[in-house]
Amino acid sequence: MKVAVFLHDEELESLPSDVDRHAIASATSATYVIHQDVEYRYTRPVTDLRQRLVILPRRVRGDQRRVAHRFEVRAGQATDNTVQWRTDRFGNSVFHVAAPQVRRTIEFRARAVLTRDLHSVATPAWHAPHPTVTRLTAPDAAIRDAAAELRTGSDVPAAAVLIAEHVNASIEYRHDATSVRTTAAEAWQLRAGVCQDMAHVMIAMCSSLGIAARYVSGHLVGDGASHAWVEVFDPRHDAVIAIDPTHSRRTDLRYLTTAAGRDYRDVAPTAGSYFSNGGQGSLVVRKRIRVADLS
């Protein structure tokens, strides 16, 4: 039996108690050390495991730099796993792992040292200046009507702020309401969801107003789970604006980008498949972010 795996990772974070989160928010540069472990556990041996992982930030993205990294696969006594590392069409770092057999567990470990410097004038590249929609971000009539009330002419930054505020005020943050397959239209109808749903709804509203927007996945230092927010493109100023609708604010040094794409599916941290003879799999993700330097 072939089992498909497409899961949203639930993560636990440990932040050193001597780090003031407000100090991070007010700093202009920071260095972070990220430890992230993704472990699959199976009740029976599985074969022909194919895994796609988007858990390592790209080398350079705007003011963020990856200055060191390590990625490894641990699967007991197995030695014939293959790992391929490539850059996808959005510029994200993607690992593809193939394992002929996994007896009980397989673990993927990523380590990275990242720096962010707000003095940098670098802007994340934008390859699609026109709005694009997917099944997850397509606006329906209700979303288009809501967005039309927030129209601000050609002022993209102002419109983006209003949309983020409206999404934040309208959608209740709730874990049990949606899944990774929930569309923006469905989340808007429910008026409930998590960060990925709020990002999808914001992208849908932006696209209905002709604003190019994309989905960003990463980490919010001090928050326990992986996080998602939105970047919009302002053609008047050739600028990229990052806004978090879950918290109704622009991003700051606490936000560490892992990947960006059109929607969650483009940047899902884990996705893959395996053959199983009736066994079941479960996912455990561990994450720790340490602040190494602030200035």
Side-chain angles (χ1 to χ4, degrees):
M1 178 176 64
K2 189 173 185 178
V3 180
V5 180
F6 208 105
L7 297 172
H8 178 65
D9 57 337
E10 292 296 333
E11 300 176 348
L12 297 176
E13 180 188 32
S14 172
L15 187 68
S17 60
D18 59 343
V19 172
D20 186 343
R21 295 172 186 176
H22 297 292
I24 299 175
S26 61
T28 58
S29 65
T31 300
Y32 299 95
V33 179
I34 299 177
H35 288 203
Q36 187 164 354
D37 301 332
V38 177
E39 181 183 9
Y40 282 97
R41 300 173 180 173
Y42 303 101
T43 56
R44 292 185 180 181
V46 303
T47 59
D48 195 25
L49 181 138
R50 308 283 174 169
Q51 192 69 38
R52 174 181 180 270
L53 297 118
V54 187
I55 59 176
L56 184 72
R58 61 190 294 180
R59 188 177 65 82
V60 178
R61 189 177 193 278
D63 64 41
Q64 180 177 291
R65 302 287 188 275
R66 189 189 73 229
V67 298
H69 79 276
R70 185 173 75 249
F71 178 82
E72 60 182 357
V73 180
R74 295 190 174 188
Q77 301 300 316
T79 59
D80 50 359
N81 303 320
T82 61
V83 180
Q84 293 183 327
W85 184 17
R86 68 176 182 86
T87 300
D88 69 8
R89 59 179 169 145
F90 305 108
N92 304 314
S93 294
V94 181
F95 288 98
H96 292 272
V97 180
Q101 183 181 48
V102 177
R103 293 181 182 177
R104 285 290 185 267
T105 65
I106 187 168
E107 185 176 13
F108 311 97
R109 293 186 172 187
R111 305 289 185 261
V113 178
L114 302 181
T115 63
R116 286 202 60 195
D117 186 351
L118 299 185
H119 294 301
S120 170
V121 296
T123 299
W126 198 285
H127 301 294
H130 304 290
T132 58
V133 297
T134 67
R135 187 190 73 84
L136 291 176
T137 63
D140 64 356
I143 286 179
R144 286 192 291 270
D145 289 345
E149 297 180 3
L150 305 174
R151 189 181 299 275
T152 59
S154 60
D155 192 339
V156 169
V161 169
L162 288 176
I163 291 171
E165 290 175 348
H166 190 53
V167 171
N168 174 271
S170 302
I171 296 181
E172 176 190 1
Y173 191 93
R174 216 168 73 210
H175 275 287
D176 59 351
T178 59
S179 74
V180 296
R181 296 173 179 82
T182 301
T183 67
E186 291 166 343
W188 183 246
Q189 183 178 16
L190 288 169
R191 294 297 197 277
V194 292
C195 59
Q196 70 195 34
D197 302 297
M198 297 187 197
H200 285 157
V201 171
M202 181 172 175
I203 292 169
M205 288 190 177
C206 285
S207 66
S208 71
L209 295 179
I211 299 172
R214 62 189 173 194
Y215 185 101
V216 183
S217 69
H219 310 288
L220 174 55
V221 177
D223 196 5
S226 58
H227 197 49
W229 57 96
V230 175
E231 288 179 343
V232 300
F233 181 64
D234 179 6
R236 262 177 92 182
H237 302 98
D238 192 28
V240 176
I241 302 157
I243 298 182
D244 179 2
T246 302
H247 295 94
S248 188
R249 67 189 179 206
R250 295 215 185 180
T251 64
D252 53 38
L253 281 183
R254 290 171 292 180
Y255 291 78
L256 302 176
T257 298
T258 299
R262 299 165 302 173
D263 58 20
Y264 170 81
R265 286 185 68 94
D266 283 340
V267 299
T270 61
S273 63
Y274 58 87
F275 283 96
S276 172
N277 186 22
Q280 296 182 335
S282 61
L283 173 65
V284 177
V285 178
R286 296 174 293 273
K287 181 183 72 174
R288 184 175 189 273
I289 299 178
R290 181 168 61 87
V291 182
D293 184 61
L294 285 178
S295 60

